[in-house]
Structure formats: structure tokens, C-alpha cells
């Protein structure tokens, strides 16, 4: 075995030991900050640090491989050059800076999302301008980088003697260098075969403990590799016939007639009773608005006076849940009425994001002008391609004149400016005698939490509380302006969040953290009431079309919640790995590597149990997600305008 008195190994060991020390400190600081949530015993603590060490070493094997390869192959004549040795010392300084930067980035990411680097961090890299602008507006980034640079230089100076001693030590003989290369290759292969995104850390149990046992950089690259997961390969399955039967049972309604030839095709003709009502629809999707922030849901800080007043005059869904933890998941569920299949949302599956039977397509076929109105730049999260390819025209920040925007930050224009654009579109369509469907997406309730001055009594940039209160203020102003419009009486206003402000918890899918508000407001057509059964974002589209009494051909996985004969409620919720079904009391969870669990009393003590596919709730869970993955792969949710027209005509 090569000994560490050889130059290359001594130099490399100094860098790797420094990285290990920072990984240890990062894990310890995060643990101390969340000691109550993690709930660790001595045995858990030993396991946490033991598993963490495996991930730390695995990452360092991958990260150090290119440098180790260079050090072992570097010729003696080059190694001995003074400039080369200075270059290696500078490289050590750069490595230390990267080490400190990673530690700080992990802390900030954990503070925002409650987890190590994951699929969200990978996703954000694609939209670097918005993310970088957001970071610059949220944190004192330049002083922070300067401080990290000073720390890295200071530590390099402190390590100058051992680094120089390492570089001046005898070099590995060729035979031993070859042996070290073979060992390096074996280590890389061993890590690749034995260590994965969820092994040795296990599925289930306390999520904080599992995340603390992870390594942020390792999980980042693992998430990058697994950004799309094949359902059949990674998750528990049922026979196709069983999925078909269960899935059709889930979506069946007395006014629905299945017409798909594939047994798992849920395409069906929906015959809504009564005269069709061509009411305008304004669907406002609000960034990160957890139900817990609303006074009418129990908050005592007075952040949402306008929404609290609106609740008194609306149809309110008090047990309503987001499907995911990101904006694209909320838009996917509201637009396509599909469960959150593993990996990327359909919104972001570039090249496969278009041509679906969306809510916009359905209303467009009925003569509506379907418009997606976004406060930011629509290339973010691939929104423009998704909505433009599914029956909508686009109004976003890039199509709005600078003079019409009173305020902008990293994510886009202020909510009040977004609503101004929506009013312009509505006025134009009304003047042309055309019903409109406006699907809005706001941005102000997002870090850096900045908004125009003088609107509310909390200073801009002060945190989430101010952003929530400004979001509420802008909604109040929008409705006040809309009430003066000639089209107001014939318009349905829908206010719903895209997801909550934070979804991290002790469980993989902490149900309470997915709760969001849903208000439907139309003084002439919708009586104020409360709907208390469990409901999901995927139920919004069929419920709206039911309110309009429109007949259509549906590929929706959701239900019309307002039918008197609706089935018992359920909510589909997940993240990019774990897929859940909540029935109002218990939660079934599907995880990669065929993991199957359920949490009884999911909103209470949440007892976790291992189950198999004989469990009824688990079978429902599988049917939704296996069926949705099959439907996406086979294009069973594609828009078929000819079939739509012929099927509706055949009913009359």
C-alpha cells in the first residue's frame, strides 16, 4: 500500500482532510440548528455521522479523481518546477474557497427548503439569471464572497508549511503510481456500485435525520443524474388490468362515459347538466401562499385582510392541498389535472411539454381566449413553451413595456403590475365580445420579498411577512378595480396557491405543509360556502368546467368537487421522488426502489408502517401514479380536437 510520505499522496490528503472537516462541521451546525426536529438519540447520532462519512468519502472519491489522476501522471520535470508548485498551492487555495462556498450555500439552501441540495438546486442552475439576481437581492453576496476568499487565503497561509513539505517530499515511483491508479479506479467503481441517492441512507423515518446523514454535493450530482425517473423501473407496480380497473373507479362519475380503447385510458365524455354558461374565468395562481398565512386559517398577524374578507363572499375549500413543492408542479396540476409523476414535471420536459388536453385547450374549443399572464419572464421553468404548446397565448414580462411596470425584482414585475396587464387583456376581449380565460402566475411572494414602497406598513425586503401582506394588498386592489368593469358580474375569480412556502418536515411528505387556500368568487353565480372534504389541485379544472356547465372530452385525473354525488375526497401530493395519496386521515407513499409505506393519522402522530401492494390505500396510490406515467408515455392525455367535437355531437 503506498504510504503517505510520498509527495502526491501527502498533498492530496491535506486537501481531502480539509474537505472532510468542513463536511463534519456543516453537518454538525445543521444538526444543532434543528436538534428538536431531528429528534436524535445517541444511537441515531452514531448512525447519522457514520452514514454521513460514507457519503462524504464517496463524494471526495469522485471529486478528487481528476486531480489524483493528474498528480499521479505528472512528469518529474514538471513537478519540480517552482511555478508548478506555486500553482498547486494556489489550487489548494481555490479548493478551500470552493469548500467554504459550498458550506455557506448548503446552509442557505437548507434555510430555504429544509433539505440538502436536491433536484431543486439542479433545476435552478438552468435558470441562472433569475437565481443569481435573486441571490444578489437577498444576501450581501459580494462581502460574503470576499470574506470566504480571505478565509481561504488565511487557511492556505496557515497550511503553507505542510503543503510545501508535501510538494518537496519524494514522488511515488512509477510502479507504485500505477498501483495507486488501479486503487483509484477500484474506489470509483466501488462507490458507484454500493453508494446511491438513497443507499446507505434509508427511505422513510425522520426526514431531517436522513438529510443530515447526506452530503450536499453528492446529493446534488445524484439528483442531476436522476432528473427523470421511469416509473416502471423504480416504483412498485400492479398488473395493468388492476391499474385500469382501479383508476377508472377513481375518476368515474355518473355523467361520464369512457371512450378510450386502452384499458388504462381514462378519456371520457363529460355531460354536465344544464345550460352552458360562457362566463369569463380569471384563475390567479399565487406564489408560495401557504394556508397558514391567512387570518381566516388561523394566523393572528393580520397579513391577509383582503383575502380574509374575500373568504366571507367565496366558495372556500378548507382542506385543499398542493400536488408538489414547486411552481411548475402547481401549474401542471391546475392546467392538465395530472398527478405529479416522478422526476421533472411535464412543464419542464423539453420537447414533450406540448399537445395536451389542457384547461386552456378545453376553454379555447368553447370559444374562449385562453391567456397565460405571468409576472416574470416566461422562459423560466419552460413556461412559455408549455403554455404556448397547450392552447394559450402568452403575456409575460418580456411583452410588457417598461413604462407599465412600477417595480421589478429578480423574478419579475410586482403583482400590481401583473394585475394591470390582466385587466387590459380582459377589457380588450370584452370589447371584442369574446369570453376570456386568464391564467395568472404571480411572483412577489418570493425571496427577496421586495415590492413597491408605500403600499403596506412593512418595509420592502423585510421577509416573508411583508411579501404575504403585499400579495394580499395587490389582490385587494385588483378586485376593487375589477368590480368597476362591465365584465365583472359574468366572471369567475379563482384564487389558489401554486405551492406552500415550505414543505420540509419530519416525514418525506408532511401533509400539513402542503395545505393551500382555494377561493372561488363570483357574487352573481357562486354562493358563499365552505367545502370541507379533502381536495387536490388536480380537481380545479374539472370543477371549473362543471361550474360552467360545459360538456367536453376529459383526460383529467381530477373530479368535479361540486357534484352532490362526488366520491370521498383524496389529495395527490409528492416531490420529485416520493409519491403520495392522502385520503383525509392516512397517507400512502411510493418511493424509488419499490418502496411502499403508509402513515396512519398523517395529520397527527403520523405512525409510519411498511406495507405491500395488498394495502387498499397503497393500491389506489399505485393506480394514480402508474396510470399517469402510462398515460404520459402513451400520449393518452393528448389533445384530440376532432374526437372532442365528434363525441360531443354524438351525444346530442
Amino acid at each position: 500500500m503506498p504510504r503517505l510520505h510520498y509527495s502526491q499522496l501527502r498533498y492530496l490528503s491535506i486537501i481531502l482532510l480539509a474537505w472532510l472537516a468542513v463536511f463534519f462541521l456543516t453537518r454538525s451546525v445543521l444538526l444543532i440548528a434543528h436538534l428538536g426536529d431531528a429528534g436524535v438519540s445517541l444511537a441515531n447520532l452514531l448512525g447519522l455521522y457514520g452514514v454521513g462519512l460514507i457519503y462524504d468519502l464517496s463524494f471526495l472519491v469522485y471529486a478528487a479523481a481528476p486531480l489524483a489522476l493528474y498528480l499521479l501522471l505528472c512528469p518529474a520535470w514538471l513537478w519540480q518546477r517552482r511555478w508548478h508548485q506555486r500553482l498547486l498551492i494556489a489550487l489548494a487555495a481555490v479548493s478551500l474557497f470552493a469548500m467554504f462556498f459550498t458550506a455557506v450555500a448548503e446552509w442557505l439552501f437548507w434555510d430555504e427548503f429544509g433539505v440538502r441540495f436536491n433536484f431543486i438546486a439542479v433545476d435552478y442552475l438552468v435558470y441562472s439569471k433569475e437565481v443569481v439576481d435573486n441571490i444578489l437581492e437577498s444576501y450581501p453576496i459580494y462581502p460574503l464572497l470576499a470574506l470566504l476568499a480571505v478565509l481561504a487565503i488565511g487557511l492556505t497561509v496557515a497550511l503553507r508549511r505542510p503543503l510545501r513539505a508535501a510538494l518537496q517530499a519524494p514522488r511515488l515511483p512509477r510502479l507504485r503510481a500505477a498501483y495507486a491508479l488501479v486503487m483509484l479506479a477500484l474506489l470509483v467503481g466501488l462507490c458507484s456500485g454500493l453508494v446511491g441517492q438513497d443507499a446507505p441512507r434509508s427511505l422513510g423515518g425522520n426526514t431531517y435525520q436522513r438529510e443530515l446523514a447526506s452530503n450536499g454535493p453528492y446529493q446534488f450530482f445524484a439528483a442531476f443524474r436522476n432528473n427523470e425517473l421511469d416509473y416502471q423501473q423504480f416504483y412498485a407496480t400492479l398488473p395493468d388490468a388492476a391499474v385500469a380497473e382501479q383508476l377508472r373507479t377513481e375518476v368515474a362519475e355518473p355523467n361520464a362515459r369512457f371512450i378510450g380503447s386502452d384499458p388504462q385510458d381514462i378519456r371520457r365524455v363529460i355531460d354536465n347538466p344544464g345550460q352552458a354558461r360562457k362566463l369569463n374565468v380569471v384563475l390567479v395562481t399565487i406564489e408560495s401562499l401557504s394556508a397558514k398565512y391567512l387570518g381566516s386559517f388561523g394566523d393572528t398577524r393580520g397579513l391577509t385582510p383582503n383575502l380574509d374578507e374575500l373568504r366571507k363572499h367565496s366558495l372556500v375549500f378548507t382542506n385543499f392541498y398542493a400536488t408538489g413543492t414547486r411552481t411548475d408542479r402547481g401549474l401542471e396540476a391546475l392546467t392538465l389535472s395530472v398527478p405529479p409523476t416522478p422526476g421533472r414535471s411535464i412543464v419542464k420536459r423539453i420537447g414533450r411539454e406540448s399537445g395536451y388536453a389542457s384547461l386552456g385547450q378545453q376553454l379555447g374549443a368553447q370559444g374562449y381566449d385562453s391567456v397565460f399572464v405571468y409576472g416574470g419572464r416566461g422562459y423560466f421553468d419552460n413556461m412559455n413553451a408549455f403554455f404556448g404548446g397547450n392552447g394559450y397565448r402568452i403575456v409575460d414580462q418580456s411583452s410588457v413595456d417598461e413604462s407599465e411596470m412600477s417595480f421589478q425584482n429578480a423574478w419579475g414585475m410586482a403583482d400590481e403590475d401583473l394585475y394591470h396587464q390582466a385587466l387590459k387583456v380582459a377589457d380588450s376581449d370584452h370589447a371584442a365580445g369574446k369570453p376570456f380565460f386568464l391564467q395568472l402566475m404571480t411572483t412577489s411572494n418570493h425571496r427577496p420579498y421586495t415590492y413597491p414602497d408605500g403600499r403596506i406598513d412593512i418595509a420592502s425586503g423585510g421577509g416573508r411577512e411583508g411579501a404575504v401582506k403585499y400579495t394580499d394588498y395587490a389582490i385587494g386592489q385588483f378586485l376593487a378595480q375589477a368590480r368597476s368593469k362591465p365584465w365583472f358580474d359574468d366572471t369567475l375569480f379563482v384564487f389558489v396557491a401554486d405551492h406552500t412556502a415550505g414543505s420540509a418536515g419530519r416525514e418525506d411528505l408532511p401533509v400539513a405543509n402542503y395545505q393551500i387556500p382555494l377561493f372561488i368568487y363570483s357574487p352573481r353565480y357562486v354562493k358563499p360556502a365552505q367545502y370541507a372534504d379533502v381536495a387536490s389541485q388536480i380537481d380545479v379544472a374539472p370543477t371549473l368546467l362543471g361550474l360552467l356547465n360545459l360538456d367536453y372530452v376529459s383526460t383529467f385525473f381530477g373530479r368535479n368537487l361540486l357534484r352532490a354525488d362526488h366520491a370521498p375526497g383524496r389529495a395527490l401530493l409528492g416531490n420529485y421522488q416520493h409519491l403520495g395519496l392522502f385520503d383525509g386521515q392516512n397517507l400512502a407513499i411510493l418511493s424509488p426502489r419499490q418502496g411502499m409505506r403508509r402513515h396512519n393519522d398523517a395529520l397527527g402522530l403520523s405512525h409510519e408502517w411498511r406495507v405491500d401492494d395488498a394495502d387498499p390505500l397503497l393500491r389506489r396510490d399505485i393506480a394514480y401514479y402508474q396510470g399517469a406515467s402510462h398515460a404520459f408515455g402513451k400520449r393518452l392525455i393528448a389533445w384530440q380536437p376532432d374526437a372532442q367535437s365528434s363525441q360531443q355531437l354524438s351525444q346530442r
Side-chain angles (χ1 to χ4, degrees), residues 549-560:
N549 292 336
L550 296 178
D551 298 338
Y552 64 104
V553 176
S554 175
T555 59
F556 296 156
F557 284 73
R559 306 164 174 164
N560 179 358

mmCIF file with all atom_site columns, all heavy atoms in Angstrom, residues 549-560:
data_model
loop_
_atom_site.group_PDB
_atom_site.id
_atom_site.type_symbol
_atom_site.label_atom_id
_atom_site.label_alt_id
_atom_site.label_comp_id
_atom_site.label_asym_id
_atom_site.label_entity_id
_atom_site.label_seq_id
_atom_site.pdbx_PDB_ins_code
_atom_site.Cartn_x
_atom_site.Cartn_y
_atom_site.Cartn_z
_atom_site.occupancy
_atom_site.B_iso_or_equiv
_atom_site.pdbx_formal_charge
_atom_site.auth_seq_id
_atom_site.auth_comp_id
_atom_site.auth_asym_id
_atom_site.auth_atom_id
_atom_site.pdbx_PDB_model_num
ATOM 1   N N   . ASN A 1 549 ? -70.997 24.428 -16.638 1.00 0.00 ? 549 ASN A N   1
ATOM 2   C CA  . ASN A 1 549 ? -71.937 23.507 -17.297 1.00 0.00 ? 549 ASN A CA  1
ATOM 3   C C   . ASN A 1 549 ? -71.503 23.163 -18.725 1.00 0.00 ? 549 ASN A C   1
ATOM 4   O O   . ASN A 1 549 ? -72.344 22.998 -19.617 1.00 0.00 ? 549 ASN A O   1
ATOM 5   C CB  . ASN A 1 549 ? -73.360 24.094 -17.336 1.00 0.00 ? 549 ASN A CB  1
ATOM 6   C CG  . ASN A 1 549 ? -73.982 24.179 -15.956 1.00 0.00 ? 549 ASN A CG  1
ATOM 7   O OD1 . ASN A 1 549 ? -73.595 23.447 -15.042 1.00 0.00 ? 549 ASN A OD1 1
ATOM 8   N ND2 . ASN A 1 549 ? -74.928 25.086 -15.784 1.00 0.00 ? 549 ASN A ND2 1
ATOM 9   N N   . LEU A 1 550 ? -70.214 23.029 -18.945 1.00 0.00 ? 550 LEU A N   1
ATOM 10  C CA  . LEU A 1 550 ? -69.699 22.732 -20.282 1.00 0.00 ? 550 LEU A CA  1
ATOM 11  C C   . LEU A 1 550 ? -69.534 21.230 -20.466 1.00 0.00 ? 550 LEU A C   1
ATOM 12  O O   . LEU A 1 550 ? -69.033 20.529 -19.583 1.00 0.00 ? 550 LEU A O   1
ATOM 13  C CB  . LEU A 1 550 ? -68.356 23.426 -20.499 1.00 0.00 ? 550 LEU A CB  1
ATOM 14  C CG  . LEU A 1 550 ? -68.373 24.967 -20.474 1.00 0.00 ? 550 LEU A CG  1
ATOM 15  C CD1 . LEU A 1 550 ? -66.958 25.505 -20.652 1.00 0.00 ? 550 LEU A CD1 1
ATOM 16  C CD2 . LEU A 1 550 ? -69.294 25.512 -21.561 1.00 0.00 ? 550 LEU A CD2 1
ATOM 17  N N   . ASP A 1 551 ? -69.945 20.725 -21.614 1.00 0.00 ? 551 ASP A N   1
ATOM 18  C CA  . ASP A 1 551 ? -69.690 19.339 -21.991 1.00 0.00 ? 551 ASP A CA  1
ATOM 19  C C   . ASP A 1 551 ? -68.329 19.270 -22.684 1.00 0.00 ? 551 ASP A C   1
ATOM 20  O O   . ASP A 1 551 ? -67.984 20.146 -23.481 1.00 0.00 ? 551 ASP A O   1
ATOM 21  C CB  . ASP A 1 551 ? -70.769 18.828 -22.949 1.00 0.00 ? 551 ASP A CB  1
ATOM 22  C CG  . ASP A 1 551 ? -72.156 18.830 -22.316 1.00 0.00 ? 551 ASP A CG  1
ATOM 23  O OD1 . ASP A 1 551 ? -72.238 18.806 -21.078 1.00 0.00 ? 551 ASP A OD1 1
ATOM 24  O OD2 . ASP A 1 551 ? -73.144 18.871 -23.082 1.00 0.00 ? 551 ASP A OD2 1
ATOM 25  N N   . TYR A 1 552 ? -67.579 18.223 -22.402 1.00 0.00 ? 552 TYR A N   1
ATOM 26  C CA  . TYR A 1 552 ? -66.247 18.127 -23.002 1.00 0.00 ? 552 TYR A CA  1
ATOM 27  C C   . TYR A 1 552 ? -65.743 16.692 -22.904 1.00 0.00 ? 552 TYR A C   1
ATOM 28  O O   . TYR A 1 552 ? -66.320 15.856 -22.190 1.00 0.00 ? 552 TYR A O   1
ATOM 29  C CB  . TYR A 1 552 ? -65.277 19.087 -22.304 1.00 0.00 ? 552 TYR A CB  1
ATOM 30  C CG  . TYR A 1 552 ? -65.004 18.787 -20.843 1.00 0.00 ? 552 TYR A CG  1
ATOM 31  C CD1 . TYR A 1 552 ? -63.802 18.201 -20.446 1.00 0.00 ? 552 TYR A CD1 1
ATOM 32  C CD2 . TYR A 1 552 ? -65.937 19.100 -19.851 1.00 0.00 ? 552 TYR A CD2 1
ATOM 33  C CE1 . TYR A 1 552 ? -63.546 17.923 -19.113 1.00 0.00 ? 552 TYR A CE1 1
ATOM 34  C CE2 . TYR A 1 552 ? -65.684 18.834 -18.523 1.00 0.00 ? 552 TYR A CE2 1
ATOM 35  C CZ  . TYR A 1 552 ? -64.491 18.245 -18.147 1.00 0.00 ? 552 TYR A CZ  1
ATOM 36  O OH  . TYR A 1 552 ? -64.249 17.972 -16.830 1.00 0.00 ? 552 TYR A OH  1
ATOM 37  N N   . VAL A 1 553 ? -64.663 16.420 -23.632 1.00 0.00 ? 553 VAL A N   1
ATOM 38  C CA  . VAL A 1 553 ? -63.979 15.132 -23.537 1.00 0.00 ? 553 VAL A CA  1
ATOM 39  C C   . VAL A 1 553 ? -62.791 15.315 -22.606 1.00 0.00 ? 553 VAL A C   1
ATOM 40  O O   . VAL A 1 553 ? -61.893 16.114 -22.875 1.00 0.00 ? 553 VAL A O   1
ATOM 41  C CB  . VAL A 1 553 ? -63.520 14.637 -24.922 1.00 0.00 ? 553 VAL A CB  1
ATOM 42  C CG1 . VAL A 1 553 ? -62.723 13.341 -24.787 1.00 0.00 ? 553 VAL A CG1 1
ATOM 43  C CG2 . VAL A 1 553 ? -64.723 14.434 -25.838 1.00 0.00 ? 553 VAL A CG2 1
ATOM 44  N N   . SER A 1 554 ? -62.785 14.580 -21.503 1.00 0.00 ? 554 SER A N   1
ATOM 45  C CA  . SER A 1 554 ? -61.820 14.803 -20.441 1.00 0.00 ? 554 SER A CA  1
ATOM 46  C C   . SER A 1 554 ? -60.707 13.759 -20.445 1.00 0.00 ? 554 SER A C   1
ATOM 47  O O   . SER A 1 554 ? -60.951 12.568 -20.644 1.00 0.00 ? 554 SER A O   1
ATOM 48  C CB  . SER A 1 554 ? -62.531 14.760 -19.082 1.00 0.00 ? 554 SER A CB  1
ATOM 49  O OG  . SER A 1 554 ? -61.595 14.852 -18.022 1.00 0.00 ? 554 SER A OG  1
ATOM 50  N N   . THR A 1 555 ? -59.489 14.232 -20.193 1.00 0.00 ? 555 THR A N   1
ATOM 51  C CA  . THR A 1 555 ? -58.370 13.349 -19.853 1.00 0.00 ? 555 THR A CA  1
ATOM 52  C C   . THR A 1 555 ? -57.904 13.643 -18.438 1.00 0.00 ? 555 THR A C   1
ATOM 53  O O   . THR A 1 555 ? -56.830 13.209 -18.024 1.00 0.00 ? 555 THR A O   1
ATOM 54  C CB  . THR A 1 555 ? -57.194 13.566 -20.829 1.00 0.00 ? 555 THR A CB  1
ATOM 55  O OG1 . THR A 1 555 ? -56.782 14.937 -20.757 1.00 0.00 ? 555 THR A OG1 1
ATOM 56  C CG2 . THR A 1 555 ? -57.590 13.237 -22.255 1.00 0.00 ? 555 THR A CG2 1
ATOM 57  N N   . PHE A 1 556 ? -58.704 14.379 -17.685 1.00 0.00 ? 556 PHE A N   1
ATOM 58  C CA  . PHE A 1 556 ? -58.324 14.839 -16.357 1.00 0.00 ? 556 PHE A CA  1
ATOM 59  C C   . PHE A 1 556 ? -58.362 13.688 -15.345 1.00 0.00 ? 556 PHE A C   1
ATOM 60  O O   . PHE A 1 556 ? -59.279 12.867 -15.347 1.00 0.00 ? 556 PHE A O   1
ATOM 61  C CB  . PHE A 1 556 ? -59.262 15.943 -15.881 1.00 0.00 ? 556 PHE A CB  1
ATOM 62  C CG  . PHE A 1 556 ? -59.202 17.200 -16.712 1.00 0.00 ? 556 PHE A CG  1
ATOM 63  C CD1 . PHE A 1 556 ? -60.282 18.074 -16.745 1.00 0.00 ? 556 PHE A CD1 1
ATOM 64  C CD2 . PHE A 1 556 ? -58.070 17.521 -17.447 1.00 0.00 ? 556 PHE A CD2 1
ATOM 65  C CE1 . PHE A 1 556 ? -60.235 19.236 -17.491 1.00 0.00 ? 556 PHE A CE1 1
ATOM 66  C CE2 . PHE A 1 556 ? -58.012 18.682 -18.200 1.00 0.00 ? 556 PHE A CE2 1
ATOM 67  C CZ  . PHE A 1 556 ? -59.102 19.543 -18.223 1.00 0.00 ? 556 PHE A CZ  1
ATOM 68  N N   . PHE A 1 557 ? -57.387 13.700 -14.442 1.00 0.00 ? 557 PHE A N   1
ATOM 69  C CA  . PHE A 1 557 ? -57.373 12.746 -13.335 1.00 0.00 ? 557 PHE A CA  1
ATOM 70  C C   . PHE A 1 557 ? -58.140 13.282 -12.133 1.00 0.00 ? 557 PHE A C   1
ATOM 71  O O   . PHE A 1 557 ? -58.327 12.570 -11.157 1.00 0.00 ? 557 PHE A O   1
ATOM 72  C CB  . PHE A 1 557 ? -55.929 12.434 -12.925 1.00 0.00 ? 557 PHE A CB  1
ATOM 73  C CG  . PHE A 1 557 ? -55.209 11.508 -13.859 1.00 0.00 ? 557 PHE A CG  1
ATOM 74  C CD1 . PHE A 1 557 ? -54.785 11.933 -15.106 1.00 0.00 ? 557 PHE A CD1 1
ATOM 75  C CD2 . PHE A 1 557 ? -54.949 10.188 -13.495 1.00 0.00 ? 557 PHE A CD2 1
ATOM 76  C CE1 . PHE A 1 557 ? -54.119 11.090 -15.978 1.00 0.00 ? 557 PHE A CE1 1
ATOM 77  C CE2 . PHE A 1 557 ? -54.287 9.333  -14.351 1.00 0.00 ? 557 PHE A CE2 1
ATOM 78  C CZ  . PHE A 1 557 ? -53.868 9.776  -15.589 1.00 0.00 ? 557 PHE A CZ  1
ATOM 79  N N   . GLY A 1 558 ? -58.587 14.533 -12.212 1.00 0.00 ? 558 GLY A N   1
ATOM 80  C CA  . GLY A 1 558 ? -59.329 15.131 -11.117 1.00 0.00 ? 558 GLY A CA  1
ATOM 81  C C   . GLY A 1 558 ? -60.825 14.934 -11.260 1.00 0.00 ? 558 GLY A C   1
ATOM 82  O O   . GLY A 1 558 ? -61.319 14.348 -12.234 1.00 0.00 ? 558 GLY A O   1
ATOM 83  N N   . ARG A 1 559 ? -61.556 15.445 -10.287 1.00 0.00 ? 559 ARG A N   1
ATOM 84  C CA  . ARG A 1 559 ? -63.010 15.294 -10.221 1.00 0.00 ? 559 ARG A CA  1
ATOM 85  C C   . ARG A 1 559 ? -63.684 16.654 -10.097 1.00 0.00 ? 559 ARG A C   1
ATOM 86  O O   . ARG A 1 559 ? -63.082 17.612 -9.620  1.00 0.00 ? 559 ARG A O   1
ATOM 87  C CB  . ARG A 1 559 ? -63.401 14.473 -8.994  1.00 0.00 ? 559 ARG A CB  1
ATOM 88  C CG  . ARG A 1 559 ? -62.731 13.133 -8.861  1.00 0.00 ? 559 ARG A CG  1
ATOM 89  C CD  . ARG A 1 559 ? -62.913 12.624 -7.441  1.00 0.00 ? 559 ARG A CD  1
ATOM 90  N NE  . ARG A 1 559 ? -62.415 11.273 -7.237  1.00 0.00 ? 559 ARG A NE  1
ATOM 91  C CZ  . ARG A 1 559 ? -62.189 10.746 -6.043  1.00 0.00 ? 559 ARG A CZ  1
ATOM 92  N NH1 . ARG A 1 559 ? -62.420 11.472 -4.958  1.00 0.00 ? 559 ARG A NH1 1
ATOM 93  N NH2 . ARG A 1 559 ? -61.746 9.512  -5.931  1.00 0.00 ? 559 ARG A NH2 1
ATOM 94  N N   . ASN A 1 560 ? -64.943 16.692 -10.470 1.00 0.00 ? 560 ASN A N   1
ATOM 95  C CA  . ASN A 1 560 ? -65.777 17.864 -10.211 1.00 0.00 ? 560 ASN A CA  1
ATOM 96  C C   . ASN A 1 560 ? -66.216 17.798 -8.752  1.00 0.00 ? 560 ASN A C   1
ATOM 97  O O   . ASN A 1 560 ? -67.078 16.995 -8.379  1.00 0.00 ? 560 ASN A O   1
ATOM 98  C CB  . ASN A 1 560 ? -66.981 17.866 -11.148 1.00 0.00 ? 560 ASN A CB  1
ATOM 99  C CG  . ASN A 1 560 ? -67.899 19.054 -10.903 1.00 0.00 ? 560 ASN A CG  1
ATOM 100 O OD1 . ASN A 1 560 ? -67.668 19.874 -10.005 1.00 0.00 ? 560 ASN A OD1 1
ATOM 101 N ND2 . ASN A 1 560 ? -68.952 19.166 -11.692 1.00 0.00 ? 560 ASN A ND2 1
#
